Amino acid sequence: MIKLVSTRIVTDNVPTLAKFYEAITQLQSVGCSDHYVEIETSVGILAICSCESVKHFNFGAAVARANRSMII
């Protein structure tokens, strides 16, 4: 069985998407709210990052609002 330990969603608006997933999971996100946050669950971490952070650290790895908006 494969268990995904970390999944990252790339977005143009980290605070808005973080609030959405906080409401769904009932968990608080931690991190720099404008560029990167994590929501730690009992089975893994959901990370949400800005397009700017992807361009800086992993250029071209993901694109927001596309079928290339997640890093697993």
Side-chain angles (χ1 to χ4, degrees), residues 10-11 26 37 44:
V10 179
T11 181
Q26 295 296 296
V37 298

Side-chain angles (χ1 to χ4, degrees), residues 23-47:
I24 289 174
T25 63
Q26 295 296 296
L27 299 169
Q28 185 66 39
S29 64
V30 295
C32 171
S33 64
D34 289 334
H35 296 285
Y36 184 88
V37 298
E38 292 182 347
I39 297 174
E40 186 173 347
T41 72
S42 61
V43 295
I45 294 174
L46 172 62

Side-chain angles (χ1 to χ4, degrees), residues 3-72:
K3 293 185 179 183
L4 300 177
V5 179
S6 179
T7 303
R8 185 183 317 176
I9 301 173
V10 179
T11 181
D12 291 325
N13 193 323
V14 172
T16 299
L17 195 57
K19 285 182 183 183
F20 172 77
Y21 280 102
E22 287 174 350
I24 289 174
T25 63
Q26 295 296 296
L27 299 169
Q28 185 66 39
S29 64
V30 295
C32 171
S33 64
D34 289 334
H35 296 285
Y36 184 88
V37 298
E38 292 182 347
I39 297 174
E40 186 173 347
T41 72
S42 61
V43 295
I45 294 174
L46 172 62
I48 303 167
C49 71
S50 67
C51 297
E52 292 81 21
S53 66
V54 172
K55 288 176 188 174
H56 183 72
F57 294 108
N58 299 33
F59 185 75
V63 178
R65 294 177 282 118
N67 195 19
R68 295 178 40 219
S69 62
M70 295 190 73
I71 300 170
I72 299 176

